Amino acid sequence: MGLMTGKKGVIFGVSNKRGIAYAIAEKLFHEGADIAFTYAGDIMKDRVEPLAAEMQSKLCISCDVNNEAEIKEVFNQCRAVYGTIDFIIHAVAFANREDLTGNFSDTSFEGWNLALGVSAYSLIPMARYAKDMMNDGGSIVALSYLGSERSVPNYNVMGVAKAALEANVRYLASEFGPRGIRVNSLSAGPIKTLAAKGIDGFDILLKVNAARSPMKRNVTLDEVGNAGLYLCSDLSSGVSGETHHVDCGYHSVATTKADALIIGVQAD
Ligand code: NAD
């Protein structure tokens, strides 16, 4: 029997096999989970449907998270197919390319609304429509990044969106906790995915993270997948309202010996 045997849930944000949502889905599936998938638009449909079929999914449905009616319909369909559910993965993010480069102070109101709407607000209607169909012991997991807590070059408005997302998680954890439902953020280190390609200078970010992290490397998709499995399964039954970093320890570092070289002083 697997860690997720008998558990059913929905994943928002699968794009292809190099994405974080797919890595988590794969782990959940191999541990026995029954997974519904969503996709944003026809291009994603062609990519996501075969992946959903690979995991014997009973439900693969269109959902642009900008459209609350579509989010509601996902949960209506989940109710029709599964009755109740045990987990939700929120792995959806978007910002205009021009808002992921240059000066943060140039962020437009429209760009801000778009990034925060898709990447942060969307968790709230998901939780609302899932509330009365989630089982005791259920888990909601939202994908985040350290740019929520510290400034990261070019991450800009997405950092603000992730800060809002993590705050959403804490408020939902408080509201849903008495019903036995846990809500957590999974803060992954940088991984070269479709979405990451939109962030200016992402290749440099990868190199800097690997060099400065205590483990001297970047996190793998497999490791983030395992952490997603942990947060969805009963292994994390006592964990809620948490921002769980899976980034080879990078978030814990303020200064490294190598930083001394950058400013040209001798390290001890
Ligand atoms: P990805 O491109 O595989 O996933 C992003 C997903 O968001 C895609 O499936 C895309 O279709 C979906 N999406 C965008 N706009 C949408 C909309 N309006 N409605 C519905 N879906 C929409 O990239 P990824 O890096 O695997 O991203 C998954 C999550 O992980 C995101 O929340 C991202 O911010 C987060 N994350 C990524 C990294 C990284 O370095 N790649 C690090 C930490 C956190």
Side-chain angles (χ1 to χ4, degrees):
M1 202 166 103
L3 281 172
M4 298 299 291
T5 300
K7 291 191 190 283
K8 305 150 286 179
V10 55
I11 300 195
F12 292 84
V14 169
S15 58
N16 57 38
K17 290 194 174 184
R18 293 177 304 284
I20 289 175
Y22 179 83
I24 297 174
E26 222 188 359
K27 296 288 177 183
L28 297 177
F29 174 68
H30 281 113
E31 290 296 327
D34 208 335
I35 308 169
F37 292 79
T38 70
Y39 54 84
D42 284 343
I43 294 172
M44 297 313 281
K45 179 181 184 184
D46 292 342
R47 293 183 186 175
V48 176
E49 274 185 347
L51 304 177
E54 230 176 59
M55 297 191 206
Q56 293 152 37
S57 176
K58 298 187 185 84
L59 185 62
C60 185
I61 178 174
S62 171
C63 179
D64 177 342
V65 301
N66 261 327
N67 183 335
E68 234 176 282
E70 290 189 15
I71 296 179
K72 190 175 184 185
E73 184 55 21
V74 169
F75 290 100
N76 284 341
Q77 297 272 333
C78 281
R79 190 190 302 278
V81 174
Y82 305 108
T84 59
I85 60 169
D86 302 280
F87 62 87
I88 302 171
I89 307 283
H90 179 288
V92 170
F94 186 80
N96 286 328
R97 194 171 268 266
E98 63 264 28
D99 289 326
L100 297 172
T101 187
N103 294 324
F104 176 64
S105 60
D106 290 331
T107 308
S108 66
F109 185 53
E110 292 72 26
W112 164 287
N113 278 342
L114 177 67
L116 271 88
V118 172
S119 319
Y121 174 74
S122 57
L123 184 68
I124 299 173
M126 286 180 198
R128 183 188 316 132
Y129 298 125
K131 190 162 25 183
D132 66 348
M133 59 182 294
M134 279 195 89
N135 292 319
D136 189 351
S139 171
I140 301 176
V141 178
L143 268 300
S144 192
Y145 172 62
L146 189 62
S148 62
E149 301 167 56
R150 312 198 201 298
S151 65
V152 173
N154 300 318
Y155 201 61
N156 295 357
V157 72
M158 190 54 75
V160 180
K162 292 303 189 189
L165 182 68
E166 290 175 15
N168 284 350
V169 160
R170 288 186 286 273
Y171 279 92
L172 290 170
S174 223
E175 181 184 337
F176 284 37
R179 295 203 33 230
I181 298 163
R182 303 177 294 105
V183 190
N184 290 291
S185 304
L186 195 178
S187 183
I191 297 178
K192 201 164 184 171
T193 62
L194 203 60
K197 283 184 191 154
I199 302 162
D200 198 24
F202 192 77
D203 284 337
I204 296 169
L205 185 73
L206 278 173
K207 287 183 184 148
V208 170
N209 272 252
R212 297 187 84 242
S213 72
M215 295 173 72
K216 300 294 170 218
R217 66 171 177 83
N218 283 313
V219 77
T220 65
L221 269 178
D222 198 56
E223 288 167 330
V224 176
N226 280 333
L229 170 63
Y230 161 74
L231 287 173
C232 282
S233 76
D234 295 341
L235 287 179
S236 60
S237 60
V239 180
S240 196
E242 181 69 294
T243 301
H244 180 62
H245 297 90
V246 184
D247 63 355
C248 296
Y250 183 85
H251 70 283
S252 67
V253 173
T255 308
T256 68
K257 284 185 178 175
D259 291 342
L261 297 174
I262 297 168
I263 57 163
V265 295
Q266 195 73 41
D268 294 334

